[in-house]
Amino acid sequence: MKQEAFTLAYHRPDKEDFVAHFSHHSKLVEEDGALLWEELTKPEAYLRALVATRDLELPAVAGIAKLAKSVVVQQYGPIEQLDKKFWDRMKQYIGCVMYSVMVANGYKKSGRKRSVPEEFFNKAELYEPAGS
């Protein structure tokens, strides 16, 4: 078996641009959601979101939902024990972070949403190449 490597161009979103676009999440990106920001803006997370988007025709969030849940559980404990408002806010934040990742890498919102096949998530945005 021959081992091969590949490269994928990745543009990490800028935190300052995120705060300018999503000012209502400015405190989250610096405090409660800082670890989520770090994990969800890594190239590996983008690759997961890209596979969900391009190959599975699912929301980008579907590709990182398990990762996002594990980060939240690591920091705050089981999802079912979190305050519902806090978890809802975190899910909105996760969606905004993924928007920033996808836009930074040449995608745009499609205007359509689909279910995220992961417990504790509902629906999320579908993305398409910005040139389409």
Side-chain angles (χ1 to χ4, degrees):
M1 179 181 339
K2 182 180 175 186
Q3 182 177 355
E4 295 184 35
F6 77 99
T7 58
L8 177 68
Y10 173 68
H11 304 279
R12 190 176 207 142
D14 184 70
K15 198 181 285 189
E16 289 75 28
D17 290 343
F18 176 85
V19 170
H21 199 273
F22 298 106
S23 59
H24 59 288
H25 288 312
S26 61
K27 189 173 179 184
L28 266 177
V29 78
E30 295 299 336
E31 295 175 11
D32 291 340
L35 183 57
L36 265 173
W37 172 268
E38 289 305 315
E39 293 299 319
L40 298 183
T41 59
K42 287 182 177 177
E44 301 89 347
Y46 170 64
L47 184 57
R48 292 177 182 188
L50 188 61
V51 168
T53 298
R54 288 189 354 192
D55 298 333
L56 303 176
E57 298 178 357
L58 290 170
V61 168
I64 55 81
K66 285 184 181 181
L67 171 63
K69 275 182 14 185
S70 72
V71 171
V72 171
V73 167
Q74 174 189 340
Q75 280 192 287
Y76 302 105
I79 303 290
E80 40 298 294
Q81 294 178 11
L82 294 177
D83 176 74
K84 183 181 177 344
K85 282 186 176 184
F86 178 79
W87 174 238
D88 286 346
R89 188 164 171 240
M90 291 302 272
K91 287 190 293 184
Q92 290 174 354
Y93 172 68
I94 290 164
C96 292
V97 172
M98 291 317 299
Y99 167 85
S100 295
V101 167
M102 298 306 286
V103 167
N105 289 281
Y107 282 79
K108 66 179 182 178
K109 287 183 173 187
S110 70
R112 298 173 298 148
K113 294 187 177 197
R114 280 195 63 192
S115 295
V116 176
E118 183 63 40
E119 189 179 20
F120 302 113
F121 285 86
N122 301 316
K123 290 185 175 192
E125 188 71 41
L126 290 169
Y127 292 90
E128 58 190 23
S132 63

